[in-house]
Amino acid sequence: MPQFGHSMLKHWMLDPEVLYLNHGTVGAPPRRVLQKQQEIRDEIERQPSRYLLRDFSNFAGVPYAKQTKMRDAASAIASFVGAKGSDIVFVDNATTGINAVLRSLHFKEGDEILISDHAYGAIANAASFAARESKARLVTTKFPYPRYDPEAIIDAYTSAITSKTRLAIVDHISVESALLLPLQEIEKRCRKRGVPVLADGAHAPGAIKLDLPSLGVDWYSANLHKWAYSPRSCGFLWATPERQKELHPPVISWGLDKGFTHEFDWVGTRDPSPFLAAPEGIAFMQDLGVEAVRAYNHKLAWDAAQLLSESWGTEMPAGQEMIGVMATVPLPESLGKSKEDAQILRDKLLFEDKIEIQLHSWQNRLWVRISAQIYNDMSDMERLRDAVEART
Ligand SMILES: Cc1ncc(COP(=O)(O)O)c(C=O)c1O
């Protein structure tokens, strides 16, 4: 097993002056993946039209190659998440995948779209927009606080379902609270009530083991550029075969009504290199050992949560079973509580202490979200602890 920790930094381009504890926010692709992406770009530029219109996609509608490069890449990603290549399309990011689903469904006046109070803001906006356009209603279920546990979260969703619920959007891993949600169980309750589920898996691929079909959900939108080491930007949308016919990309192009993969594989001329280099991110992780990477990151996140909450005298709101490779820890109360306090402290940590970390205000207090990646170790967490303590 490779030795994880600071020796892994040689695989990244990260600024050695800054302690990076924020891998989850926009990802950080390893050098090897960026090199592969550059090779792909170089290859494109030798014969741009041929590459984009014949090799990469089936733009012309008449297959030139047996399988396009986009489909090859989709198959590689599919096998990483337990799915079939034909059920997966690339999208620029998780937001785009979710918008595709929301804009393909036809809500009516009075219909309800269910989300939670832990949903990512942009996704809540997209759902709110879809509701507004059709005079449907956005219903936001609240997770019981201050202690998060899977049963209470399942109940929060179940109790918010009504005869008018047409869609439930459920995070697999929530953004700020970084909670691993009981998606499969929530889906079961939704299915019992005839409510389709759109999963927001923005943080899941690479962070936790995935077997998409077994989750039971109708759609799964995810990022590869966060935890699966792909170049930015790269996401995918998975849909059950029954849902694919009604699904369209938010940008309509040549593939209209020619089938799911056809519609999404070409949404106008763009740079396909992030998608085509995504399998290299998976290969990098496989070379390191997928389980070993996940186990290291999970343990580091949990150990950091213990260290920080004990040192700061605060209490973790969730147990280890709800933690993936990120952990959100309450900060000492003396550091403030407002959004503004959060922003000021986040910037001070970056610009004065050279620590990049996600920090936010929630429930009238400040929280810090640690991302644990194989280039981090416990000494990074101690550095964060000390920097925070020096500001109390
Ligand atoms: C839960 C969740 N959903 C969606 C997104 C959106 O990701 P992107 O900006 O890559 O579309 C994020 C980003 O952090 C997220 O945490």
Side-chain angles (χ1 to χ4, degrees), residues 24-25 93-95 120 123 171 173-175 200 202-203 223 225-226:
T25 293
N93 44 51
T95 308
Y120 184 66
I123 302 310
D171 286 319
I173 298 172
S174 60
V175 56
D200 179 351
H203 280 280
N223 279 324
H225 59 230
K226 286 185 189 287

Side-chain angles (χ1 to χ4, degrees), residues 10-25:
K10 65 175 180 284
H11 296 294
W12 270 267
M13 294 182 70
L14 293 167
D15 183 349
E17 296 291 307
V18 175
L19 166 54
Y20 209 66
L21 287 173
N22 201 16
H23 190 96
T25 293

